[in-house]
Amino acid sequence: MNKTFKIGVVTIAAGLVASVALPTVTTVSAASKKTLTVGIVGTSDAKLWKEVAKTAKKKYGITLKTKVFTDYNTPNKALADGSLNLNAFQHYNFLNNWNKSNKDAVKAIGKTFITPIRLYATGVKSVKDIKDGATIAVPNDPSNEGRALTLLQSAGLIKLKTTDLPTVKDITENKKNLQIKEIAADQTPSALKSEGAAVINTNYAQDAKIKLSSAIYVEPIDKSSEQWINIIAVAKKNVNKTEYKDIVKAYQTKATKTYLKKTWGDAEIPAWGITLK
């Protein structure tokens, strides 16, 4: 609570009264008047952001609210049009690709975690058991489709032409004649049931209550994974604002690391200060 103390009227001598105007003294910084909203996709990290909000309020006097989105397309638009202050759902690669067609409108201001994507399949225990002609669903946004196809390549299922963001047109070898079905990322959990196999982003797998341990292949984490580190992002004009940087500080704590480890194990790995080899 913002408390204000004032000294009003002081008696100087017998019968003499003077009004003394002194500066207002406040118990918290001006940031206490600031309310910010962070956008996330899905609800899997909603509890974590509630904890971050407690830290933001206690240490920096900032009221932090959370807005949940269901897709990857809206949160950056909301930053750009000013209807949202921060978002935390995307990795560097996704943001860089989005910025190419949106005038570099959104900037990263801090790292959160890195989460490997996974290949899931029903009735199959290993990659080698995937049948010839099987259908595998992958996210259809350029960034995550490229990542999913690269995952299938590292699993030994396909080979790709060397390019920054591969598409199905860049598949150069497909010995099992797999059918790659491109769909919206938020629909990949449903596709796992209908198609039998899917590459699913961790947040959507978590929201769909899919056991991460049921994946038949997990994306390797190495020095090439920097592009897949998730971030806190803001509109370009807000990059240097103190209150936004304070939200990053409220997130990047030992308490957050403990929460991630306890809740998700190795599914969401704290990325600030991480060394990729």
Side-chain angles (χ1 to χ4, degrees), residues 146-220:
R147 187 181 186 185
L149 293 175
T150 301
L151 171 76
L152 297 181
Q153 176 174 251
S154 65
L157 291 171
I158 61 173
K159 288 186 179 181
L160 297 165
K161 184 192 308 180
T162 301
T163 180
D164 289 337
L165 287 174
T167 69
V168 291
K169 294 180 180 180
D170 296 309
I171 297 175
T172 59
E173 185 176 296
N174 184 359
K175 290 184 178 181
K176 284 181 175 282
N177 194 31
L178 301 171
Q179 305 302 304
I180 308 300
K181 186 173 183 178
E182 303 158 287
I183 62 174
D186 61 336
Q187 296 302 307
T188 51
S190 298
L192 175 60
K193 298 178 181 178
S194 61
E195 306 299 339
V199 179
I200 307 176
N201 291 78
T202 301
N203 62 308
Y204 287 128
Q206 291 166 335
D207 285 347
K209 308 301 182 185
I210 297 172
K211 290 184 178 180
L212 302 183
S213 59
S214 69
I216 62 171
Y217 190 78
V218 181
E219 177 186 45

Side-chain angles (χ1 to χ4, degrees), residues 93 114 150 219-229 276-277:
N93 187 291
I114 183 167
T150 301
E219 177 186 45
I221 299 297
D222 54 32
K223 63 182 180 180
S224 67
S225 302
E226 177 78 20
Q227 61 185 320
W228 309 126
I229 289 178
L276 298 173
K277 300 178 180 180

Side-chain angles (χ1 to χ4, degrees), residues 64-85:
L64 181 64
K65 297 181 179 180
T66 302
K67 182 174 182 178
V68 177
F69 294 86
T70 58
D71 67 282
Y72 288 152
N73 297 314
T74 312
N76 279 338
K77 292 179 181 178
L79 289 184
D81 67 22
S83 61
L84 186 70
N85 302 115

Side-chain angles (χ1 to χ4, degrees), residues 4-7 20-26:
T4 303
F5 302 91
K6 294 182 178 179
I7 297 177
V20 181
L22 295 181
T24 297
V25 179
T26 57

Side-chain angles (χ1 to χ4, degrees), residues 37-53:
T37 301
V38 59
I40 61 175
V41 174
T43 59
S44 60
D45 282 330
K47 288 183 179 179
L48 170 58
W49 279 99
K50 286 184 179 180
E51 295 304 310
V52 174

